Amino acid sequence: MKTYTKKELKEILVKHSLWVATDGVEGVRAFFRYADLIGADFRDADLTGANFTNANFTNANLTNANFTNANLTNAYLGGSNLYGSNLYGANFTNADLTGANLNNADLNNADFSNANLTNAYFRDANFTNANFTNADLTDANLTNASFTNANFSNADLTGANFRGAVLRGIAISPEQQGDLLKALDIKVI
């Protein structure tokens, strides 16, 4: 894995900000493929469209960062803090977000296919058109989150907490309905 000094990270972020501001005419898109970003501090950073494939964000501070359309395929974000972040259209396919904090995050159109979301926190998050196909949401906290047209096909919802969540037009298999009723604390009599 590639490691970066604070100076190198700052230079990359400056060039990436210019790339975002000029729609790619100037600056350079940030590529952090296979990067060691353990404990990195990207608070309030604009990382729109950046590539973090296979990056390690263990315990990173990503509070209020903008990851719109970022590629986080196979990334490890265990224990990272993404509170209030904009993750619109982000690709988390095969990513590991075990124990990550995504409370109050915007996850509209995000792809969590095959992602590990065990014990992750998504309180008050927005998941319009999010894809959770084959994702593991075991013991995830989704309290008061909003799910419109989200796809939970074959997702593991064991122990997930959906109390107070808004679920509209979601896709879920008949086999998952029991887990979802438990997660919503609903008893059918």
Side-chain angles (χ1 to χ4, degrees):
M1 291 201 120
K2 171 114 174 84
T3 57
Y4 296 89
T5 65
K6 286 183 181 183
K7 182 181 177 185
E8 288 173 321
L9 286 175
K10 186 176 180 179
E11 289 173 6
I12 292 169
L13 291 177
V14 167
K15 290 176 183 177
H16 183 76
S17 291
L18 183 58
W19 179 81
V20 171
T22 63
D23 291 324
V25 175
E26 296 179 48
V28 178
R29 179 180 176 195
F31 283 91
F32 288 104
R33 292 184 66 219
Y34 294 95
D36 178 352
L37 300 168
I38 296 172
D41 187 349
F42 286 123
R43 278 178 291 180
D44 302 309
D46 188 350
L47 298 159
T48 298
N51 187 330
F52 294 99
T53 304
N54 294 296
N56 186 346
F57 281 102
T58 302
N59 298 321
N61 187 349
L62 310 168
T63 305
N64 295 314
N66 185 350
F67 285 90
T68 298
N69 296 318
N71 186 352
L72 294 128
T73 302
N74 295 315
Y76 183 80
L77 294 110
S80 60
N81 187 358
L82 292 118
Y83 180 91
S85 291
N86 181 355
L87 299 147
Y88 181 93
N91 184 350
F92 290 99
T93 301
N94 296 313
D96 189 335
L97 290 97
T98 302
N101 176 2
L102 291 101
N103 291 334
N104 292 311
D106 177 357
L107 296 146
N108 291 324
N109 295 306
D111 187 353
F112 292 98
S113 299
N114 301 301
N116 183 353
L117 307 170
T118 303
N119 293 310
Y121 298 89
F122 296 101
R123 187 178 185 99
D124 299 307
N126 191 345
F127 292 97
T128 299
N129 298 316
N131 183 10
F132 295 96
T133 302
N134 297 313
D136 185 352
L137 289 134
T138 302
D139 296 323
N141 185 343
L142 302 141
T143 306
N144 298 323
S146 178
F147 300 91
T148 301
N149 300 322
N151 183 354
F152 290 97
S153 297
N154 299 312
D156 187 346
L157 305 175
T158 306
N161 181 355
F162 283 89
R163 284 188 183 93
V166 177
L167 304 164
R168 286 189 190 103
I170 63 167
I172 188 166
S173 67
E175 297 80 26
Q176 296 169 292
Q177 290 175 4
D179 286 338
L180 185 58
L181 290 174
K182 286 179 194 172
L184 292 167
D185 200 23
I186 296 172
K187 293 184 173 90
V188 178
I189 299 173

